[in-house]
Amino acid sequence: MSLYRSVRAVTGASGDGPVDWVAVADAAKAATDPGDLDIDPAERRGYATDVRDARDRIRDVTALDFDLPESIEIQNRHHWMDANVVTFERVMAPVESQAQFIPGVARMVNTGSMAVALSFLANNVMGQYDPLLLADSNDHALYFVRPNITRVADQLDVEYPRFRRWIAFHEVAHAAEFGAAPWLPDHLESSMEEAISHLAEGSIDREKLGQLDTAMTTVEGYAELVMDRAFDGEFADLRQKLDERRKGRGPLQRLIRRVLGLSMKRRQYERGKDFFDAVVDARDIETAGLVWGSPETLPTDEELDDPHAWLARVA
């Protein structure tokens, strides 16, 4: 890591847009230890087995028909940055297209802010199902950030292979959702594009932001439900230790997570899981899977807090 190289990358930000994305990646990498990616064949086979077993178990438990992404990568933190900085750029494109003349100082501030966000996320993401939203393809991918998985397993004092397998089940659960709902990427992209376009014009489209939040709450909650019911081992201690670790974060880290919307993502997990737990208690997990029938079968914001209303409407 080199603070000097990171600062130099930000202060050298150039171009016509509000963010120099090449400088974002350079600065974030300079400030972030890539981590160890020295994987022996046995460990690589372990990842493959975890993903394959997760696919088979989730198919059995949910009865959803889905396939794994063709691209499944074991990454270090810099690899994850390379995969995600292009997503940052795609998402911000509508805002950038509305920008007029951007002074060099403003470009440096924007570039530095994005570099901080990218570096923070790269140090914290353990696994990611990437539907490659807003990309010019129908591809999707699955990433495992090995240095973060090994670090957190060590911090929690749990066996790395068991923790790695738990992470794999969660990310494959996301692959199951998008595989079962081929309309889902377009639905999310449409809400994102409209919300960001309004933001670029200086207004806030609360309806579209609400739709996006509701959809993501459904996505996160269903993945939590499926992971709990499909994982082939005890996990209560893993969840408890992660919750304790989360509560022990310092004020600076909590602030950054709030700014990046990660605290909202935690609420999406919890609210979505409560919804699906209630649906399964009232019916079964196959009924819960009806959410992936079409955009119209997604729960509304009100139904997330009243699962029986959703059951009465859809099931």
Side-chain angles (χ1 to χ4, degrees), residues 66-111:
F66 72 98
D67 291 315
L68 293 170
E70 290 187 10
S71 178
I72 301 175
E73 301 178 14
I74 306 170
Q75 301 177 330
N76 65 24
R77 298 181 187 106
H78 287 189
H79 296 147
W80 185 88
M81 288 179 184
D82 287 336
N84 280 270
V85 71
V86 292
T87 301
F88 275 47
E89 186 173 4
R90 285 198 304 269
V91 169
M92 293 297 295
V95 177
E96 292 190 89
S97 68
Q98 296 291 326
Q100 304 298 320
F101 172 72
I102 301 295
V105 172
R107 185 178 300 109
M108 281 193 295
V109 171
N110 294 337
T111 298

Side-chain angles (χ1 to χ4, degrees), residues 185-257:
D186 287 343
H187 179 74
L188 294 175
E189 287 174 352
S190 175
S191 295
M192 285 176 61
E193 287 176 323
E194 291 191 43
I196 293 171
S197 293
H198 277 83
L199 186 62
E201 295 168 1
S203 62
I204 297 177
D205 189 335
R206 298 188 184 280
E207 180 182 356
K208 287 301 177 184
L209 286 173
Q211 289 177 2
L212 187 60
D213 178 66
T214 299
M216 290 309 301
T217 299
T218 306
V219 167
E220 299 296 356
Y222 188 82
E224 289 284 282
L225 171 86
V226 169
M227 181 173 71
D228 283 359
R229 283 160 172 75
F231 188 63
D232 50 2
E234 178 55 49
F235 59 85
D237 62 318
L238 299 176
R239 194 179 292 284
Q240 179 182 350
K241 288 183 176 183
L242 277 174
D243 287 342
E244 291 171 352
R245 176 176 178 266
R246 191 176 298 114
K247 293 174 183 176
R249 288 178 177 136
L252 178 59
Q253 191 174 46
R254 290 199 298 271
L255 174 62
I256 294 174
R257 295 183 72 86

Side-chain angles (χ1 to χ4, degrees), residues 145-212:
V145 188
R146 181 184 181 271
N148 293 343
I149 298 174
T150 57
R151 185 195 70 217
V152 175
D154 184 60
Q155 291 173 345
L156 300 181
D157 192 25
V158 297
E159 295 179 351
Y160 163 60
R162 175 171 167 247
F163 187 63
R164 178 193 69 205
R165 187 173 179 85
W166 196 54
I167 298 297
F169 269 71
H170 182 81
E171 300 310 329
V172 174
H174 282 314
E177 295 168 325
F178 282 83
W183 52 266
L184 185 56
D186 287 343
H187 179 74
L188 294 175
E189 287 174 352
S190 175
S191 295
M192 285 176 61
E193 287 176 323
E194 291 191 43
I196 293 171
S197 293
H198 277 83
L199 186 62
E201 295 168 1
S203 62
I204 297 177
D205 189 335
R206 298 188 184 280
E207 180 182 356
K208 287 301 177 184
L209 286 173
Q211 289 177 2
L212 187 60

Side-chain angles (χ1 to χ4, degrees), residues 257-274:
R257 295 183 72 86
R258 191 175 298 118
V259 169
L260 294 178
L262 298 181
S263 57
M264 181 180 72
K265 186 174 182 179
R266 186 66 231 165
R267 290 195 296 273
Q268 289 173 338
Y269 277 127
E270 294 167 353
R271 189 183 184 206
K273 188 174 186 300
D274 288 345

